Amino acid sequence: MWRGNAWSQADTQVPCGFAGPTGFDLDTDMRQFSHCQVVVLTVTFGAQDKLHKAPDTGSHRLCYVAFFDLTTAKVAFADRKDSGKHDQVVNGWTVVVVYNLPYENPRRNARIPKHLTHRLFPLAEFSVWVDTKLQLKVDPLLLIDQLLVKTGADFAVAQNPTRLSIHEEHKALVAKGVWAYHFVLLPVVQTL
């Protein structure tokens, strides 16, 4: 997502989170990313997914950030002596361990950085969200240039690699037991 000059004040503190103080209020930890013009981020909570290797672009203005909860951090850093420390790197991603999460459901907590990227990284001009299950195989700067800058678009969305329609997504969510049938049906009907 391209923000242009929307967040040009470097010394402005923007509170983050929508359930009171949460683990996403990481002012001291997030300062290390103030130089990032482009942030590629992902989240893995509940030790559910493996973090794929980030593409090496060699750009100092591009930052790869992965948010882990404490459960995921313990699994990922089990063989390290300093597993309780922040700012560790896994497969090219700088890991930020998040504490004090507002929800018990890891999927629900994962939506916070996905939707509030502009608050977590207020100085970044662009942000790219990568689902942890997927592997980014293309330079994010190239994606931004081709999908946003050249087209003048505000944001770009990738197509689901396994499901091509909202009806297939509806069936998959119900089959996985993520949502009850009637909770998923209403948004599907509203989008038609």
Side-chain angles (χ1 to χ4, degrees), residues 38 57 61-62 64 128 136-150:
V38 177
T57 61
R61 65 184 193 131
L62 175 67
Y64 291 95
V128 178
L136 188 62
K137 295 185 177 184
V138 180
D139 181 353
L141 298 174
L142 182 63
L143 284 175
I144 290 168
D145 185 55
Q146 290 182 352
L147 299 176
L148 297 177
V149 175
K150 287 184 179 176

Side-chain angles (χ1 to χ4, degrees), residues 6 10 17 33 44 89 121 123 125 161 171:
F33 303 112
T44 180
V89 177
F121 305 98
L123 300 177
E125 190 173 350
K171 290 176 187 175

Side-chain angles (χ1 to χ4, degrees), residues 4 17 19 25 31 36 45 55 58 61 63 69-71 75 87 113 115 118 124 140 144 147 157 167 184 192:
D25 294 323
R31 287 185 202 146
C36 305
F45 291 154
R61 65 184 193 131
C63 299
D69 62 352
L70 194 54
T71 304
V75 171
D87 311 332
H115 295 292
H118 62 287
I144 290 168
L147 299 176
V157 179
H167 298 289
V184 178
L192 299 177

